[in-house]
Amino acid sequence: MLRLAVTSRLLCQQLVRRELASAMQSLQSSTSISAFTSTRRTTHTTHGISNARSLSTSQPKLQSEEVEVTFVRANGERVKAKGKIGDSLLDVIVNNNIDFEGFGACEGTLTCSTCHLIFSKADYDRLPEKPSDEELDMLDLAYELTDTSRLGCQITLSKDLQGLEVRVPATINDARS
Ligand code: FES
């Protein structure tokens, strides 16, 4: 009788151990799933944060790499646009789909003078590069020429030109025609 009781107790203990082992196993697997999920979430979150961070840190960088330019039409309308450093003013107009009729007809090959722009004296003086002889020759053919005229296809954006404002002459002359 005693033996039977002991055997039954041992069996019970084995059963409990098995149940415990099985419970532990399923607990571990669910933990690992949740850990995986959590890692994924963390990774995702990390990416999110990293993206957000890179966006938030790169946003000012992007902004600092973008240069805002205002084009003022002859009728006084102000057209604001952004360009990247290294873009020409012609690029800014083309990339922003600004419709200045006939502007940039030769696509920057310095043969038309239709990209004639007029700068304020201060802005003209801070332009990084002086006009080449070819640009000056082409400018001579532009209408409404001023002492602060330049060809937009020859002006490259730099950080220093942030906030640049230029006038677009009312009339253009395509030197090729
Ligand atoms: S686009 Fe023709 S000279 Fe500038």
Side-chain angles (χ1 to χ4, degrees):
M1 191 70 178
L2 183 66
R3 200 170 173 182
L4 188 66
V6 170
T7 311
S8 153
R9 198 171 162 185
L10 279 173
L11 275 172
C12 270
Q13 280 176 348
Q14 271 181 353
L15 206 69
V16 167
R17 252 186 242 129
R18 257 187 226 155
E19 283 296 318
L20 269 174
S22 164
M24 285 295 287
Q25 209 169 18
S26 76
L27 188 67
Q28 274 175 352
S29 89
S30 79
T31 308
S32 77
I33 286 170
S34 84
F36 174 70
T37 312
S38 155
T39 308
R40 284 195 59 186
R41 203 175 291 138
T42 306
T43 308
H44 180 71
T45 308
T46 304
H47 279 229
I49 287 168
S50 116
N51 283 347
R53 277 196 187 141
S54 72
L55 279 177
S56 64
T57 52
S58 67
Q59 196 69 9
K61 198 178 166 196
L62 268 177
Q63 280 172 353
S64 70
E65 285 170 356
E66 283 184 330
V67 179
E68 191 173 284
V69 181
T70 304
F71 298 93
V72 185
R73 291 182 196 261
N75 64 5
E77 184 194 348
R78 299 165 69 80
V79 182
K80 284 186 184 289
K82 283 180 182 172
K84 293 192 183 85
I85 290 170
D87 281 352
S88 71
L89 287 179
L90 174 61
D91 293 331
V92 176
I93 289 170
V94 170
N95 294 339
N96 287 278
N97 296 315
I98 301 172
D99 184 22
F100 293 146
E101 203 180 332
F103 194 97
C106 79
E107 299 178 347
T109 56
L110 210 45
T111 56
C112 74
S113 86
T114 60
C115 61
H116 172 207
L117 294 170
I118 301 167
F119 294 73
S120 70
K121 178 79 172 86
D123 284 339
Y124 184 86
D125 289 340
R126 69 178 167 135
L127 292 175
E129 288 167 14
K130 298 296 165 211
S132 64
D133 289 344
E134 291 80 8
E135 183 181 347
L136 289 172
D137 287 346
M138 202 48 60
L139 273 170
D140 283 340
L141 303 171
Y143 295 155
E144 302 177 48
L145 187 66
T146 72
D147 288 341
T148 56
S149 290
R150 291 291 303 265
L151 293 179
C153 68
Q154 301 302 302
I155 307 300
T156 304
L157 290 183
S158 64
K159 271 186 189 170
D160 296 339
L161 295 182
Q162 189 64 257
L164 182 69
E165 194 169 299
V166 289
R167 279 198 300 127
V168 183
T171 51
I172 59 164
N173 179 35
D174 190 341
R176 301 169 305 167
S177 51

